[in-house]
Amino acid sequence: GDLQRRILELVRKPIWAYGWKSIRSRDRFCFWHAHFAGGEEESRSSCEAELASNGLAAPVHELWTFLAADILKGHEPLRVYANGHTYGVEGYVHTDSSDEENYFTTIYYAHPAWEPDWAGETVFFSRESVDISRAVFPTPGRVILFRGATAHAARSPSRECPELRICIVIKSQLRRDRA
């Protein structure tokens, strides 16, 4: 609806910087990134006030507010940003945290359209083997939530894909007074 349209307007602005890596010390290649709020990767401080005060990111704050009333009830945001992938821009297998209990990742697919031949799935890996345990098709407007300790990767869009694969990412934890 209206929120989806306003998020799309935001991510179509010149907000992007190229050079982000999921794991800086290991990944060879980079992807597109836009930071909205939050500290370094290890930060466990809420960035809710920073996100609320970032006027540019108002639609992302509204997304956070919507999710915090539903699937993220009791959570506080730690980092909020967007990632972008084009053909040939691979994501590497990684985890977002070693915290098994209280660190979560939420992904909102913000691109306007997606076709099966465009690839770009988010894949999750089994703990017991190197097999893919689940693949999530990046349907526009879809939200997925998983524990940050889950190994996953963003797969590159195919050569057929004319769109930027855009994810709004919210890293969160249960509020300390609830944990």
Side-chain angles (χ1 to χ4, degrees):
D2 183 57
L3 178 57
Q4 193 171 7
R5 180 190 53 76
R6 287 185 291 115
I7 290 172
L8 183 59
E9 287 172 2
L10 168 64
V11 298
R12 286 197 161 152
K13 290 181 178 179
I15 62 172
W16 299 99
Y18 185 76
W20 194 258
K21 296 178 177 182
S22 294
I23 301 176
R24 283 177 265 211
S25 63
R26 186 200 70 191
D27 297 354
R28 287 186 54 209
F29 301 105
C30 305
F31 51 89
W32 296 93
H33 182 79
H35 180 80
F36 300 125
E40 290 295 314
E41 294 173 22
E42 301 304 315
S43 173
R44 296 306 288 253
S45 299
S46 174
C47 69
E48 193 161 3
E50 180 186 354
L51 182 61
S53 68
N54 181 345
L56 175 71
V60 176
H61 179 255
E62 191 175 330
L63 174 66
W64 160 254
T65 302
F66 175 78
L67 295 172
D70 190 16
I71 65 169
L72 295 178
K73 190 173 188 78
H75 286 239
E76 60 187 351
L78 303 174
R79 289 189 317 145
V80 182
Y81 54 88
N83 287 336
H85 292 83
T86 55
Y87 170 69
V89 177
E90 299 292 338
Y92 290 87
V93 178
H94 67 284
T95 60
D96 294 334
S97 173
S98 59
D99 183 339
E100 299 278 337
E101 298 300 318
N102 195 32
Y103 196 95
F104 301 85
T105 299
T106 303
I107 295 175
Y108 168 81
Y109 296 104
H111 37 260
W114 209 260
E115 299 292 331
D117 286 334
W118 295 355
E121 298 82 6
T122 301
V123 293
F124 295 89
F125 292 85
S126 169
R127 283 179 182 240
E128 296 77 36
S129 67
V130 293
D131 286 332
I132 292 173
S133 60
R134 167 172 254 162
V136 177
F137 187 74
T139 301
R142 175 173 276 166
V143 175
I144 58 174
L145 169 64
F146 55 95
R147 292 196 181 275
T150 306
H152 63 283
R155 292 301 188 210
S156 170
S158 74
R159 184 179 293 229
E160 289 292 320
C161 181
E163 291 287 341
L164 180 64
R165 179 192 182 277
I166 304 167
C167 293
I168 305 293
V169 180
I170 301 172
K171 305 289 179 67
S172 67
Q173 67 186 2
L174 289 170
R175 292 187 188 277
R176 288 182 185 89
D177 56 358
R178 291 193 37 129

